[in-house]
Amino acid sequence: MGIAEQITTQAGRTGLAGLLADPKSAVVGLDFDGTLAPIVADPERARAHPGVVPALSALAPLIGAVVVVTGRPAATAASYGGFAAAPGLEHLTVLGHYGAERWDASSNAVTAAPPPPGVTAVRDELPSLLRELGAPEGTFVEDKERALAVHTRRAPDPDALLEQLRGPLGELAHRRGLVVEPGRMVLELRPPGVDKGVALREFLAERDAGPVLFAGDDLGDLAAYAEVAARRGAGHPGLLVCSGPVTGEPPVAELAERADLVVAGPAGVVDLLNGLTELLR
């Protein structure tokens, strides 16, 4: 079945048609974890699906730009993705920490805004708070430098623990001028006003972009979805893709409901990218 036949909405079909009609102004935006890289228990062991770099290397020269928008540090996502020095990806951009950091393949360098002071304070307080709350073994903190993510997926009852932690972590974040962003078995404490929608909007304005495809898998991608939806309302074609889990779990409902196309995890995203390349050749 072709891409067009898999798309379930008229807006999505219009988005695909717009991308195919004007590829040189088109931007393909992609989340990293769960979209390009399979979700794993240890975030430090995440790596892009082996088909990602070949698929992007073939697609990127045919379109205006490829941008990866992630909560990870930009250099980490570039490294875990295998993007540096990949043929065809000389102009790929990674917007890390929701746009606070930027890695450009052309220079292999990172530019970044000053680190937020609230994150330093939370980094110091978080271990003792988790101990006071009796967080069980399996709870772990991922230090993203400009944000801190508390993961519960290794705990005996990850969903119940997530609900237990939501209130206290929200109070800690508020006290230090941060916000809490929920995700699948994770709560991330980060500065306000920083999200994938803002990052994507600024990149698209910089490129004077036309059609946009954005693919994501979790709640943090909703802001980018909203940006594409707003552009569609202003007459710019857009295509929203949900990367669903491959473990038998349903996709994140909030994304699946808004998506024009749901694919089966990073392997499905690779198939989509390869399909776009075939249509553009």
Side-chain angles (χ1 to χ4, degrees):
M1 186 184 298
I3 296 173
E5 290 75 23
Q6 297 175 59
I7 294 173
T8 60
T9 68
Q10 182 56 51
R13 288 186 283 273
T14 300
L16 176 63
L19 191 155
L20 297 178
D22 187 14
K24 288 303 180 181
S25 75
V27 171
V28 170
L30 303 156
D31 167 50
F32 187 75
D33 291 282
T35 302
L36 296 182
I39 295 293
V40 293
D42 181 354
E44 294 184 3
R45 302 179 78 85
R47 296 295 184 272
H49 183 284
V52 163
V53 167
L56 288 178
S57 292
L59 176 63
L62 304 177
I63 61 175
V66 175
V67 60
V68 176
V69 190
T70 176
R72 285 186 180 271
T76 299
S79 173
Y80 290 2
F83 303 139
L89 298 186
E90 294 85 358
H91 302 292
L92 181 140
T93 299
V94 177
L95 301 179
H97 291 306
Y98 307 95
E101 289 187 353
R102 175 173 177 148
W103 175 88
D104 288 291
S106 58
S107 62
N108 194 26
V110 174
T111 55
V119 172
T120 301
V122 167
R123 182 180 290 114
D124 294 337
E125 295 178 48
L126 196 52
S128 59
L129 176 61
L130 291 175
R131 285 194 299 271
E132 291 171 11
L133 294 171
E137 185 176 353
T139 310
F140 70 100
V141 177
E142 179 188 3
D143 193 333
K144 297 185 174 182
E145 300 174 13
R146 296 171 180 272
L148 295 155
V150 180
H151 293 264
T152 66
R153 69 176 61 251
R154 298 181 193 165
D157 189 344
D159 293 329
L161 178 59
L162 198 74
E163 288 305 312
Q164 176 190 342
L165 296 178
R166 193 184 297 269
L169 291 185
E171 292 172 7
L172 172 61
H174 179 73
R175 191 165 69 249
R176 294 302 184 182
L178 304 179
V179 296
V180 173
E181 179 69 38
R184 282 190 286 173
M185 292 176 279
V186 63
L187 295 167
E188 182 168 303
L189 293 80
R190 69 176 192 231
V194 177
D195 61 44
K196 293 183 181 181
V198 174
L200 183 62
R201 181 186 316 136
E202 292 177 351
F203 183 83
L204 297 177
E206 170 192 318
R207 301 285 310 188
D208 193 21
V212 178
L213 178 155
F214 185 83
D217 78 307
D218 207 348
L219 296 175
D221 298 306
L222 285 173
Y225 268 40
E227 177 60 25
V228 175
R231 288 176 57 84
R232 293 204 292 205
H236 301 287
L239 178 59
L240 293 171
V241 179
C242 174
S243 173
V246 293
T247 57
E249 305 170 44
V252 173
E254 292 88 340
L255 261 72
E257 290 167 0
R258 292 166 174 78
D260 307 302
L261 172 62
V262 178
V263 299
V269 173
V270 168
D271 289 342
L272 171 64
L273 298 174
N274 287 330
L276 285 175
T277 298
E278 290 302 315
L279 291 172
L280 289 169
R281 281 180 170 163

